[in-house]
Amino acid sequence: MQLPIFIILLMVTGIIKGCPSGWLRHENKCYHFSHDTETWLGAIDMCSLLGGKLVEIETATENSYLAANAKLFKLVYWVGLTDVQEENIWVWIKSKAKLADTGFSSWAPNEPNNSSADENCVLIRTDGSWNDYGCAKTLHYICEADNQETEIVG
């Protein structure tokens, strides 16, 4: 009995890489662009329930990828950046990395501006720029997870 070629290939490589259903893969990450809206805290909870975290944008390449999808879907999205603990000290919520220490940001002109005196959370626009925004408002959100690897045993 002959095995289909893809099974033989899987046995040779020993690894299947992929993202959960409904997630998109880009480089070594998986992304879920929500269909529903949540407050920023609700987005954190939903991403956790889905097995990920609210996205933490590390590079211009990642930001461009997210912006291209935001533009495709014609939506703005919550990301995992906040200054809720200390005004103007922007921190990625899951990793606790300070934005000032990460080397990448994409603030829109005149942002962050805390214009309504309660803009402590961040969204990404369709052009890839970031804007501080009220955390209690509801928006779509982007979850992020590592690309899953499953080892074939047998």
Side-chain angles (χ1 to χ4, degrees):
M1 175 193 233
Q2 290 186 323
L3 294 174
I5 191 115
F6 70 91
I7 297 211
I8 293 169
L9 183 60
L10 290 175
M11 291 172 70
V12 170
T13 62
I15 295 177
I16 300 174
K17 292 184 179 182
C19 295
S21 179
W23 292 60
L24 302 175
R25 183 168 63 90
H26 176 70
E27 295 181 348
N28 64 341
K29 300 286 184 182
C30 300
Y31 300 95
H32 174 73
F33 292 80
S34 75
H35 302 285
D36 65 321
T37 59
E38 297 286 344
T39 65
W40 189 79
L41 287 173
I44 290 171
D45 289 342
M46 289 303 296
C47 287
S48 180
L49 286 170
L50 293 171
K53 66 180 180 182
L54 199 53
V55 68
E56 296 186 5
I57 305 170
E58 299 168 339
T59 65
T61 301
E62 181 180 25
N63 197 71
S64 293
Y65 171 77
L66 299 173
N69 279 285
K71 186 173 185 175
L72 178 69
F73 301 134
K74 299 177 183 165
L75 297 169
V76 297
Y77 292 89
W78 284 128
V79 300
L81 190 60
T82 184
D83 75 342
V84 72
Q85 190 169 9
E86 185 178 348
E87 191 63 34
N88 288 320
I89 304 297
W90 295 95
V91 178
W92 293 109
I93 192 65
K94 186 73 173 178
S95 69
K96 308 296 185 215
K98 290 183 180 178
L99 184 62
D101 298 336
T102 63
F104 176 76
S105 67
S106 187
W107 293 111
N110 303 313
E111 297 293 345
N113 61 14
N114 200 29
S115 70
S116 62
D118 70 345
E119 295 185 339
N120 296 311
C121 297
V122 177
L123 61 84
I124 185 172
R125 297 175 175 162
T126 58
D127 66 356
S129 65
W130 303 351
N131 181 48
D132 59 335
Y133 200 61
C135 304
K137 309 246 172 123
T138 58
L139 295 175
H140 290 83
Y141 52 93
I142 305 169
C143 303
E144 172 184 39
D146 289 330
N147 189 13
Q148 298 176 356
E149 295 184 2
T150 305
E151 194 168 326
I152 304 294
V153 178

